[in-house]
Amino acid sequence: MLLAARLVADYARELGADTERQETRPVYDHMGALLADSVLQAGLNYKSVVRPRVEAILAQFPQCDRTSELLPVVSDGQAATFLNWTHPEKIGRFESLVRFLDCNSIETVSDLREGLNHPRFVELLRNVRGVGPKTVDYMGCLVGLDSVAVDRHVRTFAKRVGVLNDDYDFLRSVFCCAADLLSLSRRQFDAWVWRRESSLSSHQIEFSF
């Protein structure tokens, strides 16, 4: 694992990861925006699809910063309107998360941050349909925990430097260790990899036409 982490860190250093101005994922104090970001981000373009919807939620539903304020949205069948989304899978996941958090007395983002520090809570959270380790780690980033969410960009970066083991926990450990070797926070390194790889993906799409 350490050898893989050094490969990742050395390559990232060559690309300027340790000297570039670092940006991190947003940290929310608004439960509605956090859950919307968490359920929408998978498989979608963040800048053009996810971010505008999250910003609209913050502007139009400032009161929905607590789980109890999201319960009427779910019970009244307004989740699709709230998310500005029509596909039932992501809507259902949002509704399930709201109900789960309510059942586990998670009212605020601060409560969620505390919960994510406890293995038993994380285990229960991963039992929610459609919530896997990547979503849990992504939520950790959004509440301000120093975490790496292993997504397709992390996997692509790993393969580029010859790290072929794609086990989720292995790659998370590798990239967390690489961030430590670079003297970056794990959230910073996670965001740097995402920003670089998503930019490369966009360029590849442009050149494919």
Side-chain angles (χ1 to χ4, degrees), residues 32-103:
L34 186 150
L35 293 181
D37 195 323
S38 297
V39 302
L40 290 175
Q41 50 81 28
L44 299 176
N45 184 289
Y46 190 85
K47 291 182 179 180
S48 64
V49 179
V50 181
R51 182 185 292 168
R53 285 167 169 78
V54 173
E55 290 175 349
I57 287 169
L58 289 169
Q60 298 171 19
F61 301 96
Q63 76 281 10
C64 291
D65 59 340
R66 308 169 74 85
T67 301
S68 59
E69 296 294 338
L70 292 169
L71 285 173
V73 173
V74 170
S75 61
D76 294 345
Q78 296 301 309
T81 300
F82 182 82
L83 296 172
N84 188 21
W85 195 252
T86 57
H87 196 282
E89 182 179 351
K90 291 183 183 293
I91 294 170
R93 191 171 305 156
F94 175 83
E95 293 173 339
S96 295
L97 280 170
V98 170
R99 295 189 182 104
F100 168 82
L101 296 177
D102 178 59
C103 288

Side-chain angles (χ1 to χ4, degrees), residues 134-177:
K134 185 251 183 171
T135 300
V136 172
D137 287 330
Y138 186 80
M139 292 174 73
C141 289
L142 298 185
V143 302
L145 297 180
D146 204 21
S147 182
V148 170
V150 178
D151 58 7
R152 61 189 176 90
H153 296 313
V154 167
R155 294 181 186 280
T156 299
F157 193 93
K159 289 179 181 178
R160 188 173 287 118
V161 299
V163 178
L164 302 181
N165 185 338
D166 65 352
D167 176 75
Y168 186 94
D169 290 334
F170 176 80
L171 285 177
R172 179 174 56 187
S173 296
V174 165
F175 277 76
C176 284
C177 183

Side-chain angles (χ1 to χ4, degrees), residues 3 25 128 207:
L3 175 60
R25 300 187 191 277
V128 176
F207 288 129

